[in-house]
Amino acid sequence: MNRRHVAAAAITLVCALTVLTAPVQAFATPAPPSPSMTQTQSGSKTPKKSLEEVREEIDALYRKAGAATDAYNLAEEQAKKQSGEIVELAKAIVEGQSKIAELKNQAGAQAREQYRTGGLPPGTQLMLSDDPQLFLDGVSRVREGQQAAQGVLGELTRTQQDLETYTQDASTNWKKLEANRLKQAQAKKKINAQIAAAKKLESQLKKKERARLLKLEREAQHKLQTAWLSSGALKDINREASAGGKKAVAFATEQIGKPYVWGAEGPRSYDCSGLTSQAWAAAGRPIPRTSQEQWRLLPHIAIKDMRPGDLIIYHGDASHVGMYIGDGAIIHAPRPGRNVTLAGAGSMQILGVVRPDK
């Protein structure tokens, strides 16, 4: 319970500092001659964006990067799976080829034996004998020989069919692997482009404007959190964490202060779903790697039924996730340039809640 009160106090402090800072309309430094206009290369003049507009644009760029990161992580997971399947299929193919070679040797030995006996197997020759006992023995051997030959040929046919299936499956998995590698490359390119664009916008601001930008970011989060709390969302949320949830929360708490790095899943850095998936892995409950897959595959629960350890999925495209820790707070890895931190559970657009250990 102490951790919950500490989390609540930390959020209250951040919100209080935000409220004390009165919002002031800020503008990026304009180019002459007009204080509210900027000149393009073609000579036309367009209104200079306000700092709030810049903040919204940067936020949108990082959200797009987050969505692309989810696509990258999913493609990476699928590529890992297909690589493992290809390895297993390769082993099966080698074993199948070895078995076929062995069966062919057996079939060849039978054929050679039949050739040496003038085209008649030993059992048939014995059947032609005048000795009644030899005749009976010959009948038995003929049957055994026929069954053995049929068994070898049947097993050879089945093994060849299996080998063909393995080869086709390996080819299919290889095509999927290449497709997912292409998806990874495309997602990586998009991620880097979005992050570079966001950093470029920030780099064009003066030091005081960058400080003000951070305050505006906190004010926007505080506004959403206040509206969420005012809706009565926390009225009936007082449930205790499960044993696994406590372990997941403890793991996530230990990661506070570590940097966000897209595609990372620890131990030195994390992206949003890398943090939540590793936290639950540490609790002995493996879950999907990406926020979109966590939303798609894990059991959904109502917000009023939330308990610490549950995962809150954000934005309409499920591109962000945080871990609820109680008292209206989450731990999450926000975006590039930020560290794993505490935040208000309602400080972003909530899509829904999932429970890994339901």
Side-chain angles (χ1 to χ4, degrees), residues 225-237 303-304 306:
Q225 175 75 354
T226 300
W228 185 66
L229 293 175
S230 299
S231 71
L234 284 183
K235 184 179 179 181
D236 299 319
I237 302 178
I303 290 177
K304 65 182 180 64
M306 243 182 350

Side-chain angles (χ1 to χ4, degrees), residues 265-281:
E265 46 189 333
R268 295 184 177 86
S269 57
Y270 296 88
D271 62 21
C272 66
S273 57
L275 175 65
T276 54
S277 60
Q278 288 301 305
W280 272 101

Side-chain angles (χ1 to χ4, degrees), residues 22 159 353:
T159 304
V353 182

Side-chain angles (χ1 to χ4, degrees), residues 301-316:
I301 62 166
I303 290 177
K304 65 182 180 64
D305 295 325
M306 243 182 350
R307 69 189 186 194
D310 289 341
L311 306 182
I312 303 181
I313 309 296
Y314 293 97
H315 310 308

Side-chain angles (χ1 to χ4, degrees), residues 2-249:
N2 288 338
R3 186 181 295 109
R4 295 175 65 191
H5 292 310
V6 170
I11 293 172
T12 303
L13 179 59
V14 171
C15 293
L17 290 173
T18 302
V19 172
L20 288 173
T21 308
V24 178
Q25 187 70 13
F27 294 88
T29 305
S34 171
S36 61
M37 307 288 283
T38 184
Q39 193 167 9
T40 65
Q41 292 180 349
S42 62
S44 62
K45 296 177 180 179
T46 57
K48 190 71 175 180
K49 293 177 181 177
S50 71
L51 195 57
E52 173 60 20
E53 289 174 325
V54 172
R55 183 198 68 77
E56 290 176 354
E57 187 173 350
I58 289 173
D59 184 58
L61 286 167
Y62 279 125
R63 278 187 56 192
K64 289 178 181 178
T69 298
D70 230 31
Y72 177 91
N73 289 335
L74 180 58
E76 183 181 43
E77 286 297 294
Q78 291 174 336
K80 286 180 181 177
K81 179 183 177 182
Q82 278 137 17
S83 294
E85 288 177 354
I86 288 171
V87 169
E88 292 304 312
L89 286 167
K91 291 178 181 177
I93 289 171
V94 170
E95 291 174 0
Q97 289 173 335
S98 176
K99 189 173 183 179
I100 285 174
E102 181 182 345
L103 291 169
K104 283 183 176 180
N105 284 337
Q106 291 181 23
Q110 290 177 346
R112 287 191 296 272
E113 177 63 24
Q114 186 173 354
Y115 176 78
R116 281 197 300 269
T117 57
L120 296 174
T124 304
Q125 289 183 330
L126 290 170
M127 287 177 66
L128 298 177
S129 171
D130 293 333
D131 188 326
Q133 186 60 46
L134 287 177
F135 176 81
L136 293 175
D137 290 342
V139 172
S140 176
R141 292 179 186 179
V142 165
R143 288 175 179 171
E144 291 175 359
Q146 288 175 340
Q147 290 173 354
Q150 289 173 355
V152 170
L153 292 175
E155 190 172 0
L156 180 58
T157 300
R158 288 192 298 271
T159 304
Q160 288 174 328
Q161 290 172 343
D162 289 344
L163 189 58
E164 184 177 348
T165 300
Y166 297 151
T167 303
Q168 290 174 349
D169 288 347
S171 177
T172 300
N173 275 276
W174 183 261
K175 289 177 182 177
K176 289 180 180 179
L177 177 61
E178 290 301 306
N180 280 310
R181 283 175 175 169
L182 179 60
K183 288 179 184 178
Q184 278 184 270
Q186 292 172 337
K188 182 177 181 179
K189 185 177 179 180
K190 186 174 182 179
I191 293 164
N192 288 332
Q194 302 290 358
I195 292 175
K199 287 182 176 179
K200 183 178 179 180
L201 280 175
E202 287 192 70
S203 69
Q204 293 171 346
L205 301 174
K206 292 182 178 181
K207 185 177 180 180
K208 289 183 178 180
E209 289 175 320
R210 287 197 293 271
R212 182 66 190 144
L213 186 71
L214 181 58
K215 290 179 181 178
L216 287 174
E217 181 182 310
R218 289 174 176 169
E219 287 169 5
Q221 293 171 353
H222 170 66
K223 183 179 179 180
L224 288 170
Q225 175 75 354
T226 300
W228 185 66
L229 293 175
S230 299
S231 71
L234 284 183
K235 184 179 179 181
D236 299 319
I237 302 178
N238 57 1
R239 292 167 177 76
E240 289 292 325
S242 64
K246 290 177 181 178
K247 292 179 182 178
V249 169

